[in-house]
Amino acid sequence: MSSLTPEDVDAVCGLVDDLCGIYWDEEKSYLIESRLASLVEENNCENYAALVRKVRADVVPGLKDSVVDAVTTNETLWFRDNSPFEAIRHKAIPEVIDERSQTIFPKKIRIWSAACSTGQEPYSIGIALADVIPDVDSWDIQILATDISPSAVEKASRGVYSKLEIGRGMDTSHLRDYFVEQEDSWKIHDRIRAMCKFDVRNLLKPFSGLDKFDIIFCRNVAIYFTGEDRRSLFERLADSLAAPYGWLFTGSSESLSDLGDRWSPQQHCRSNCYRPNLVEATMA
Ligand SMILES: C[S@@+](CC[C@H](N)C(=O)[O-])C[C@H]1O[C@@H](n2cnc3c(N)ncnc32)[C@H](O)[C@@H]1O
């Protein structure tokens, strides 16, 4: 295969933006080669631009999904950064439970892990819920876990992790209580799996058909988007929270301070979290 040309770079960056909203430019040439070279070869393409044409023509079943899987970065771990999980245990969940108790659905909780990668985030949320709600099995809880990467969602849905993956953040007492040991891996317990629903979803597409959520985790994904896509995403997430409540958790280095007064920053257990400000209805 010939080396990467400016035409290849333009074609790939345009495709990655169109498929996932992920912003790549010529500075990401090393990623283009490391992530896509094998697909170029396997699909008998003479160069990267030819691979892009094949993907856009949509003539090879599964090729689009393979590109999405290859260009996304699925790095994740259990209880990532710890503080958001402390904040839901000690602040957000108790408040949601209080607020729900005043409604006709006192035992309903809806949570969205919006970019769930291989499942460590939604299952960590489920475990945190089970930690603080003694009769959790009698609650109507749903953790919607979505990601654009079909292979990540498939792995998340299986809920089986190698010892190496478990070693990245899972402590022994939660491992004992919430996993079942298999030959050389660990499977998330059915109690936690039953709370979760998995789906492939692009966050830059409209959130059609989704419920309102009490808590949203949207962590370490918007960092890959352009400023405009990031602004639109957080605007739509504000509308997806169950007004006037709702909690949004972002990544530890992600601040929403540049997004005007749509979000109120909160500090609980040292985590970055936000509550939406109500938008005044504009008079016609
Ligand atoms: C670095 S991981 C973060 C996973 C998890 N939220 C965490 O903080 O550990 C980023 C995830 O965002 C997903 N992603 C990238 N672009 C996306 C998009 N447009 N819509 C939905 N998910 C996307 C990737 O597939 C990847 O699994």
Side-chain angles (χ1 to χ4, degrees):
M1 191 202 330
S2 55
S3 61
L4 207 56
T5 64
E7 290 71 33
D8 287 325
V9 174
D10 278 357
V12 171
C13 294
L15 179 73
V16 170
D17 184 22
D18 289 348
L19 290 182
C20 316
I22 294 174
Y23 179 74
W24 278 6
D25 59 16
E26 62 285 350
E27 284 176 20
K28 293 278 165 40
S29 296
Y30 67 98
L31 275 183
I32 297 179
E33 291 184 305
S34 63
R35 305 269 183 106
L36 295 176
S38 57
L39 283 177
V40 171
E41 262 184 54
E42 282 160 25
N43 288 280
N44 302 316
C45 299
E46 54 181 327
N47 54 31
Y48 291 84
L51 175 73
V52 171
R53 284 194 294 279
K54 225 171 214 180
V55 175
R56 289 200 186 277
D58 207 7
V59 286
V60 181
L63 181 56
K64 209 179 258 180
D65 285 353
S66 301
V67 170
V68 171
D69 286 339
V71 302
T72 48
T73 301
N74 304 127
E75 166 65 16
T76 190
L77 57 150
W78 303 98
F79 302 107
R80 187 172 191 171
D81 302 324
N82 201 40
S83 60
F85 300 92
E86 287 301 298
I88 60 169
R89 279 191 190 97
H90 300 296
K91 183 74 182 171
I93 294 170
E95 287 207 5
V96 168
I97 289 175
D98 242 21
E99 284 151 4
R100 280 286 173 197
S101 68
Q102 324 285 327
T103 72
I104 52 166
F105 299 113
K107 290 191 130 187
K108 177 177 165 180
I109 300 179
R110 292 290 177 267
I111 298 178
W112 186 11
S113 167
C116 66
S117 186
T118 42
Q120 286 85 337
E121 181 176 279
Y123 291 138
S124 298
I125 296 170
I127 291 171
L129 287 165
D131 281 343
V132 295
I133 305 179
D135 59 341
V136 71
D137 299 329
S138 70
W139 282 66
D140 170 14
I141 291 177
Q142 189 180 89
I143 302 166
L144 176 67
T146 65
D147 200 281
I148 198 170
S149 162
S151 69
V153 172
E154 202 266 325
K155 176 170 172 63
S157 175
R158 249 185 297 130
V160 178
Y161 298 92
S162 67
K163 293 212 160 100
L164 195 71
E165 289 164 330
I166 287 291
R168 301 193 66 215
M170 183 51 64
D171 57 283
T172 43
S173 95
H174 282 126
L175 182 62
R176 186 192 57 229
D177 292 346
Y178 298 112
F179 289 81
V180 178
E181 189 167 12
Q182 298 186 331
E183 229 164 72
D184 53 359
S185 57
W186 293 82
K187 189 172 195 304
I188 193 77
H189 201 284
D190 289 347
R191 280 180 74 205
I192 305 296
R193 176 64 185 80
M195 294 181 201
C196 300
K197 184 181 161 194
F198 292 93
D199 202 1
V200 175
R201 189 175 268 270
N202 182 350
L203 285 174
L204 298 179
K205 294 270 157 62
F207 301 159
S208 44
L210 294 188
D211 228 340
K212 296 277 186 188
F213 298 95
D214 302 298
I215 299 172
I216 297 178
F217 272 53
C218 186
R219 310 190 65 225
N220 306 304
V221 58
I223 47 173
Y224 299 106
F225 299 161
T226 61
E228 198 183 320
D229 284 341
R230 174 178 163 272
R231 177 175 288 276
S232 143
L233 169 64
F234 285 111
E235 185 68 32
R236 289 176 299 118
L237 288 177
D239 294 336
S240 301
L241 283 169
Y245 320 120
W247 297 82
L248 171 74
F249 288 84
T250 58
S252 57
S253 57
E254 294 176 89
S255 161
L256 303 188
S257 59
D258 60 320
L259 298 186
D261 55 8
R262 193 71 172 90
W263 293 98
S264 288
Q266 312 272 312
Q267 270 287 327
H268 298 293
C269 306
R270 301 209 187 120
S271 83
N272 271 355
C273 55
Y274 295 86
R275 306 203 79 176
N277 292 316
L278 292 183
V279 182
E280 298 285 329
T282 43
M283 303 293 283

